[in-house]
């Protein structure tokens, strides 16, 4: 079934299924997936989480009955954590802080997922538990290190999954499996109970079928953890919906800085993705990404490899045979780095960050391909280090420079494989990025992961139930029109552009600002261009207060037969206004 959070909530409320029935079915499906799970919970292990829902009213628990997966370097109480290495295995007494938040909100863990050993890799093949195949074509890599979490989500056996992202592990697998991948601002999702890779850079990431679902998970998970010395408070400006203008600027690398490693499919897909952003109202700006790309090299060519050594020192020094050869080769090099190397790199990084902050401040978002190419498993086996390094070209700099990022699918390539871009900006811009990712998904209208379900705007239903309201506008409040600011300043965002049912007449009413009065006429009505905007309920009262007669708020029928709260007018507007129905659009009337 469709496991988006809104769809699942509707299925529970209607009685179509129950958590008990759903989880039983999902466990059967999950067991058929190849090299996705390191520990799939048994029915007995999962039953306490289902039973606990009886004391958690659905209305008060935003993730009630929602199944999720956990990368196996993140603790789940009573279940072994391996980090992809059997000799490292331990059984935690308590869950990671972020897992505790999700379970408290009603989410149900389904199992622990496969990963590149010690979260070192972007390929999904560096595991003694087997290479995790891509959700669309098993010849291709799934991406790593959060391979199992991505494929479990794409295959529709969980609604979302937790990964980690130090160098791109929450974004590259999202790209390769047609998912949204949220790499939140460092510290907003606690790493208590997470096996460290680079402790100062590590982030818990979220894989989801939609940006709306990623928002819902983020809202629950982004809680300050006083026991995590890297935890950060989420500012009020990054809580709840954040508007992004309909006309926005986005920066891309200069042409000579784009790298596709000979992959013409991905090169073409990125060009088309840029065009999609321009169709949405974006203005492309080409900027010099040199400081970002130079910073990326520091992650594996600089002293941050020493952090990986610190995290695994006992095994590296005392039991190196427990590690995969490629992992040992990478991490053991960290033992040779000096304090002088570290400070030298920190100075270089600070200079790069200062330049980067200026670049980021000059545009609404920055955009790159999430990855420059998509390798087969055989190609990775031929050159495991060099080709893995290629996959980090657009990702390795992100945490070093303290940026927030969202990977979002935009299309399928000419060889029928997923492609996506990463949109990113400064720390604490997570909600802004998720809002834009939501709009990109609406525009692209791709399937959900590797499932049979199509993306639908109904995914916004969860947001509405959480305290927002849809408002239909037809005139001066349309995007780009004179009163649109009254929506955007209230944090409203564009949900849908469509037409009304062909049952209305429109009249231009004079005033300080000329306004349209839309009156229902079943006999000789026409359809009009309309937009549906979603705004916080807390802002709705002040918005309505500013509406002058003869306009008011009522219900308007859309072309598809649904009804939306929106602008209507009293009947006398026809006697004081000019009939402009022939235009079918306030925008066209004003242009005339």
């Amino acid at each position: 079934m469709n496991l988006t959070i809104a769809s699942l909530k509707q299925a529970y409320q209607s009685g179509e299924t129950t958590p008990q029935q759903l989880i039983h079915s999902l466990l059967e499906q999950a067991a058929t997936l190849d090299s996705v799970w390191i520990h799939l919970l048994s029915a007995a292990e999962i039953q306490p989480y289902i039973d606990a829902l009886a004391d958690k009213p659905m209305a008060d628990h935003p993730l009630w009955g929602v199944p999720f997966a956990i990368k196996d370097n993140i603790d789940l109480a009573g279940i072994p954590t391996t980090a992809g290495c059997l000799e490292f295995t331990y059984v935690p007494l308590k869950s990671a802080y972020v897992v505790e938040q999700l379970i408290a909100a009603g989410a149900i863990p389904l199992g622990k997922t496969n990963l590149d050993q010690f979260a070192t890799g972007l390929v999904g093949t560096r595991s003694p538990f087997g290479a995790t195949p891509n959700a669309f074509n098993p010849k291709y890599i799934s991406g790593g290190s959060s391979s199992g979490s991505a494929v479990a989500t794409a295959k529709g056996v969980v609604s979302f999954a937790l990964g980690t992202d130090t160098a791109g592990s929450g974004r590259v697998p999202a790209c390769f499996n047609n998912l949204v991948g949220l790499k939140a601002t460092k510290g907003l999702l606690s790493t208590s109970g997470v096996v460290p890779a680079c402790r100062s850079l590590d982030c818990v990431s979220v894989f989801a079928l939609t940006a709306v679902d990623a928002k819902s998970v983020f809202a629950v998970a982004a809680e300050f953890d006083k026991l995590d010395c890297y935890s950060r408070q989420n500012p009020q400006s990054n809580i709840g919906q954040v508007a992004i203008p309909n006309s926005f600027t986005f920066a891309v690398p200069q042409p000579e800085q784009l790298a596709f490693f000979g992959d013409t499919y991905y090169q073409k897909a990125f060009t088309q993705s840029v065009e999609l952003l321009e169709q949405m109202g974006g203005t492309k700006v080409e900027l010099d990404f040199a400081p970002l790309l130079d910073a990326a090299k520091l992650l594996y060519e600089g002293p941050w490899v020493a952090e990986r050594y610190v995290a695994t020192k006992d095994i590296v020094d005392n039991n190196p045979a427990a590690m995969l050869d490629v992992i040992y080769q990478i991490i053991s090099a960290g033992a040779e780095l000096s304090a002088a190397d570290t400070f030298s790199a920190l100075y270089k990084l600070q200079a790069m960050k200062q330049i980067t902050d200026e670049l980021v401040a000059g545009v609404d978002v920055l955009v790159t391909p999430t990855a420059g190419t998509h390798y087969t498993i055989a190609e990775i086996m031929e050159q495991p280090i060099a080709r893995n390094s290629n996959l980090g070209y657009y990702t390795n700099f992100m945490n070093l420079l303290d940026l927030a990022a969202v990977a979002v699918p935009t299309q399928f390539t000419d060889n029928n494989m997923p492609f996506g871009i990463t949109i990113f900006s400064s720390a604490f811009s997570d909600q802004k990025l998720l809002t834009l990712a939501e709009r990109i998904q609406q525009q692209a209208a791709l399937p959900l992961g590797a499932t049979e379900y199509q993306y639908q705007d109904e995914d916004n239903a969860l947001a509405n139930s959480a305290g927002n309201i849809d408002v239909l506008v037809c005139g001066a409040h349309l995007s780009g029109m004179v009163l649109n600011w009254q929506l955007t300043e209230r944090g409203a965002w564009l949900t849908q552009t469509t037409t009304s049912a062909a049952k209305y007449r429109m009249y231009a009413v004079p005033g300080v600002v000329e306004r349209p009065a839309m009156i229902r006429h079943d006999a000789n009505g026409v359809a009009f261009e309309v937009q549906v905007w979603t705004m916080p309920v807390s802002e709705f009262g002040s918005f309505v207060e500013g509406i002058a007669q003869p306009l008011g708020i009522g219900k308007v029928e859309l072309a598809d037969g649904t009804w939306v709260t929106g602008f209507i007018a009293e009947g006398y507007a026809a006697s004081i206004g000019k009939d402009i129905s022939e235009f079918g659009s306030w925008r066209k009337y004003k242009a005339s």
Side-chain angles (χ1 to χ4, degrees), residues 277-306:
L277 292 175
E278 290 174 327
Q279 292 166 8
M280 292 171 52
T283 299
K284 182 181 74 171
V285 179
E286 292 180 358
L287 294 180
D288 183 3
F289 272 45
L292 290 79
L293 301 175
D294 289 342
K297 297 173 185 176
L298 292 174
L299 191 62
Y300 283 101
E301 298 175 14
W304 281 271
V305 178

Side-chain angles (χ1 to χ4, degrees), residues 64 77 210 310 534 550 576:
W64 193 92
T210 70
V310 169
T534 304
I576 63 173

Side-chain angles (χ1 to χ4, degrees), residues 41-64:
L41 268 62
S42 66
E45 289 171 329
I46 213 166
Q47 192 60 46
Y49 298 104
I50 298 174
D51 293 342
L53 296 179
D55 298 322
K56 297 176 178 177
M58 184 186 297
D60 300 328
H61 295 81
L63 300 180
W64 193 92

Side-chain angles (χ1 to χ4, degrees), residues 550-562:
L551 275 57
I553 293 291
K555 289 292 185 179
V556 180
E557 185 179 3
L558 298 181
D560 63 4
T562 59

Side-chain angles (χ1 to χ4, degrees), residues 278-435:
E278 290 174 327
Q279 292 166 8
M280 292 171 52
T283 299
K284 182 181 74 171
V285 179
E286 292 180 358
L287 294 180
D288 183 3
F289 272 45
L292 290 79
L293 301 175
D294 289 342
K297 297 173 185 176
L298 292 174
L299 191 62
Y300 283 101
E301 298 175 14
W304 281 271
V305 178
E307 275 201 282
R308 293 185 183 271
Y309 171 70
V310 169
T312 57
K313 184 177 186 298
D314 184 60
I315 284 184
V316 172
D317 292 349
N318 302 313
N319 190 10
M323 303 181 84
L324 298 178
D325 289 343
V326 65
I327 303 298
Y328 177 79
Q329 181 180 346
I330 294 167
I331 294 179
S332 61
E336 307 301 322
L337 293 160
S338 69
D341 294 328
T342 301
F343 280 105
S344 177
L346 286 171
Y347 301 151
K348 292 178 183 177
L349 179 62
Q350 185 60 32
M352 295 169 189
K353 178 167 172 50
Q354 188 174 48
I355 300 171
T356 298
D357 288 347
E358 293 179 8
L359 293 178
V360 171
V363 291
D364 289 307
V365 295
L366 294 88
V367 177
T368 66
T370 299
T373 186
H374 191 178
Y375 293 115
T376 63
I377 293 176
E379 287 172 331
I380 289 296
M381 295 307 182
E382 290 172 359
Q383 298 182 37
I385 293 181
R387 286 178 173 159
N388 182 92
S389 179
N390 290 346
L391 296 178
Y393 183 82
Y394 298 109
T395 63
N396 286 349
F397 58 78
M398 209 70 73
N399 288 343
L400 286 166
L401 296 171
D402 197 17
L403 301 169
V406 177
V408 57
T410 53
Q411 65 188 99
F412 284 80
T413 64
D414 288 345
N415 65 335
N416 298 315
M417 294 299 289
F419 175 83
I421 58 175
T422 291
I423 54 177
F424 59 100
S425 189
S426 58
F428 308 113
S429 63
D430 311 83
Q431 289 287 3
K432 177 181 76 171
L433 296 172
L434 286 166
T435 297

Side-chain angles (χ1 to χ4, degrees), residues 512-531:
V512 176
V513 174
E514 190 177 36
R515 294 158 296 150
M518 199 160 76
I519 301 175
R520 189 173 177 96
H521 281 272
D522 286 341
N524 63 339
V526 298
F528 290 95
E529 174 197 1
V530 296
Q531 289 180 339

Side-chain angles (χ1 to χ4, degrees), residues 241 460 463-464 468-471 491-495 532-536:
Q241 190 68 33
N460 288 311
N464 291 348
N468 300 310
I469 186 169
D470 288 339
V471 180
W493 65 98
L494 179 61
T495 301
V532 179
W533 287 70
T534 304
M535 73 167 58

Side-chain angles (χ1 to χ4, degrees), residues 264-285:
T264 56
Y265 293 126
Y266 263 39
Q267 185 173 12
K268 178 180 178 181
F270 182 63
T271 298
Q272 293 173 335
S273 297
V274 168
E275 292 172 352
L276 180 143
L277 292 175
E278 290 174 327
Q279 292 166 8
M280 292 171 52
T283 299
K284 182 181 74 171
V285 179

